């Protein structure tokens, strides 16, 4: 399960992007831009960093992942299916009547820790999970992915205070900093910069990285806590729609469903990117955590 080279992780992320585009196209609904922007974060976590077991989803010592920005669930469904948490064939039921694979994380599905949807809740629950793990003397870490638009929710900052107060260094918050939300630029809707200084003021150790660079992703996640006695906040600077040239940084792709021609064009681009890597155009090296 643990991929050991950057090339393996990049190729897997390209495959996941193709899967999630087909998922959204088939369902005729979904959140495309944010799922494409968070794919590399999730790929690094699930295929290299986190301790988890698809054959034993309730393993007590597992690491926990909470998708607080639950609307961008498509990448997560595709990764869980790829890992064997449920059959890949079930992906075709996404957002269909009676499915388990709804448009937000659903804890009836193995591998999902909590239902999320209303923004601002995930970090609060993650604080509780991290505190419970510490009280039970378990090695589990808790990773919580938030959106940057989500930072306008007051409950995020209440949880931030609690995480620092309890010195939860087994807690890693992640912000998918793609700078776009459904209404446009985050800074136009509700300015949140300087994010790093705000989180530092709340008592967190803050790391800002390229959210599409696997060396930076793995180092940031595996080295937490860099400062003992503090939770870590990783600001993953990403591109909304990443991997599909005509969707990147386009606000309308927040929940745009690709038509047949757009899907084929996107698949062609992603397939070409995989082919280029297989032919050695991208340097391959082992990941040094």
């Amino acid at each position: 399960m643990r991929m050991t080279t950057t090339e393996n992780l990049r190729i897997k992320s390209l495959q996941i992007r193709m899967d999630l585009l087909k998922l959204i196209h088939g369902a005729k609904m979904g959140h495309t831009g944010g799922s494409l922007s968070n794919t590399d974060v999730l790929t690094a976590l699930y295929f290299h960093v986190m301790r988890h077991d698809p054959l034993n989803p309730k393993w007590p010592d597992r690491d926990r992942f909470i998708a607080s920005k639950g609307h961008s669930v498509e990448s997560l469904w595709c990764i869980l299916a790829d890992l064997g948490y449920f059959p890949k064939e079930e992906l075709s039921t996404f957002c269909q009547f009676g499915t388990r694979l709804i448009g937000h994380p659903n804890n009836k599905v193995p591998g999902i820790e909590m239902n999320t949807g209303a923004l601002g809740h995930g970090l609060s629950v993650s604080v509780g999970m991290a505190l419970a793990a510490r009280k039970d003397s378990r090695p589990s870490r808790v990773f919580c992915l938030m959106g940057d638009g989500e930072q306008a929710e007051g409950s995020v900052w209440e949880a931030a205070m609690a995480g620092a107060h309890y010195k939860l260094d087994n807690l890693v918050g992640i912000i998918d900093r793609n700078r776009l939300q459904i209404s446009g630029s985050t800074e136009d809707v509700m300015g949140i910069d300087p994010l790093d200084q705000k989180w530092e003021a709340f008592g967190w150790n803050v790391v800002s990285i390229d959210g599409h660079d696997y060396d930076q992703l793995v180092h940031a996640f595996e080295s937490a806590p860099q400062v003992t006695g503090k939770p870590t906040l990783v600001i993953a600077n990403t591109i909304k729609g990443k991997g599909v040239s005509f969707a990147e940084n386009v606000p309308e792709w927040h929940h745009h469903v690709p038509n047949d021609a757009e899907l084929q064009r996107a698949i062609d681009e992603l397939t070409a990117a995989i082919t280029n890597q297989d032919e050695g155009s991208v340097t391959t090296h082992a990941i040094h955590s």
Side-chain angles (χ1 to χ4, degrees):
M1 182 187 301
R2 185 178 173 88
M3 293 184 174
T4 56
T5 69
T6 53
E7 182 187 25
N8 287 341
L9 289 170
R10 288 193 190 101
I11 289 176
K12 178 58 67 178
S13 74
L14 294 168
Q15 294 168 339
I16 295 299
R17 284 184 167 92
M18 286 193 279
D19 288 344
L20 75 87
L21 287 167
K22 293 174 183 176
L23 189 78
I24 292 169
H25 175 264
K28 295 181 171 53
M29 64 180 66
H31 288 82
T32 311
S35 288
L36 289 168
S37 72
N38 73 31
T39 295
D40 293 313
V41 170
L42 269 61
T43 299
L45 286 173
Y46 275 94
F47 290 97
H48 185 82
V49 174
M50 291 199 313
R51 293 155 40 94
H52 64 105
D53 184 357
L55 300 179
N56 185 16
K58 295 298 185 182
W59 175 35
D61 287 343
R62 71 190 182 280
D63 290 334
R64 272 74 168 172
F65 173 74
I66 302 297
S68 191
K69 54 170 294 185
H71 56 280
S72 295
V73 73
E74 292 83 1
S75 49
L76 180 57
W77 287 144
C78 291
I79 285 172
L80 292 179
D82 191 87
L83 288 165
Y85 278 93
F86 57 85
K88 290 194 78 170
E89 294 75 19
E90 193 173 345
L91 289 173
S92 65
T93 71
F94 175 62
C95 283
Q96 304 302 308
F97 179 75
T99 186
R100 298 188 297 176
L101 306 183
I102 58 177
H104 291 80
N106 168 21
N107 64 7
K108 293 181 180 179
V109 180
I112 299 295
E113 302 291 346
M114 68 170 287
N115 299 333
T116 56
L119 294 173
H121 295 178
L123 189 63
S124 297
V125 175
S126 298
V127 165
M129 289 180 171
L131 185 58
R134 190 174 71 186
K135 287 182 176 293
D136 291 343
S137 300
R138 296 197 179 278
S140 306
R141 288 192 296 171
V142 182
F143 298 86
C144 178
L145 178 65
M146 297 173 280
D148 48 5
E150 185 176 0
Q151 303 307 294
E153 299 281 356
S155 52
V156 169
W157 300 100
E158 294 177 35
M161 280 193 293
H165 175 78
Y166 290 108
K167 305 183 189 310
L168 297 177
D169 52 17
N170 59 342
L171 173 62
V172 179
I174 309 159
I175 297 176
D176 183 9
R177 185 66 170 120
N178 60 38
R179 299 183 179 274
L180 288 174
Q181 58 191 99
I182 191 170
S183 304
S185 163
T186 55
E187 298 314 292
D188 290 339
V189 176
M190 180 62 69
I192 54 176
D193 277 333
L195 264 181
D196 54 350
Q197 295 177 33
K198 289 176 180 176
W199 280 86
E200 287 168 354
F202 272 74
W204 288 56
N205 175 55
V206 179
V207 181
S208 184
I209 64 168
D210 179 344
H212 303 303
D213 183 301
Y214 280 101
D215 286 320
Q216 294 184 40
L217 285 164
V218 169
H219 178 73
F221 295 149
E222 290 207 327
S223 61
Q226 293 179 346
V227 179
T228 57
K230 284 188 174 184
T232 292
L233 188 280
V234 177
I235 301 175
N237 293 285
T238 62
I239 297 171
K240 197 153 190 170
K242 174 67 174 176
V244 178
S245 63
F246 51 93
E248 291 185 353
N249 287 323
V250 179
E252 290 76 17
W253 276 80
H254 179 86
H255 50 38
H256 175 75
V257 175
N259 59 34
D260 292 350
E262 290 168 334
L263 175 65
Q264 189 57 57
R265 183 181 170 192
I267 296 299
D268 289 345
E269 286 188 6
L270 293 164
T271 301
I274 292 174
T275 301
N276 289 340
Q277 291 194 194
D278 285 340
E279 291 176 353
S281 64
V282 176
T283 302
T284 302
H285 60 273
I287 298 170
H288 300 289
S289 304

